[in-house]
Amino acid sequence: MIFLYAFLVGGLICAIAQVLIEYAKMTPAHVTSLFVAVGAGLELFDTYDRLGEWFGAGVFVPITNFGHLVAHGATEGARESGLLGLLNGLFVKTSAGVAFAIIMAVVISLFFKPKG
């Protein structure tokens, strides 16, 4: 059943993004930024982890999770070490995902010729 919930919630998040692009005439960059902010907001109200318990990968795979990780790392670091911990916490939680994205972008650019 958890697979069904993950599929439905992940699909719902993607469907909301598509509706925003098609009908609200938002660009994909605007939708991405909005979803990161929503994920951070849900984390600040301590609801993102509860959603994760219910829906699993459905909420942890989309871009909203990046906002959640940024906010979670910042608040956790601030609790442990103050202002410096706030800045350090941002990088501790998100560094693996950012590094993977950069490495894959370089690898893919070696095989495909970018247009534009």
Side-chain angles (χ1 to χ4, degrees), residues 18-44:
Q18 193 63 41
V19 166
L20 290 173
I21 290 170
E22 294 292 327
Y23 296 108
K25 302 298 181 198
M26 295 177 78
T27 66
H30 287 113
V31 173
T32 300
S33 300
L34 175 67
F35 279 19
V36 169
V38 166
L42 289 173
E43 172 58 31
L44 292 177

Side-chain angles (χ1 to χ4, degrees), residues 39-55:
L42 289 173
E43 172 58 31
L44 292 177
F45 292 112
D46 202 32
T47 56
Y48 204 91
D49 286 327
R50 283 188 235 145
L51 291 173
E53 290 173 8
W54 293 337
F55 303 118

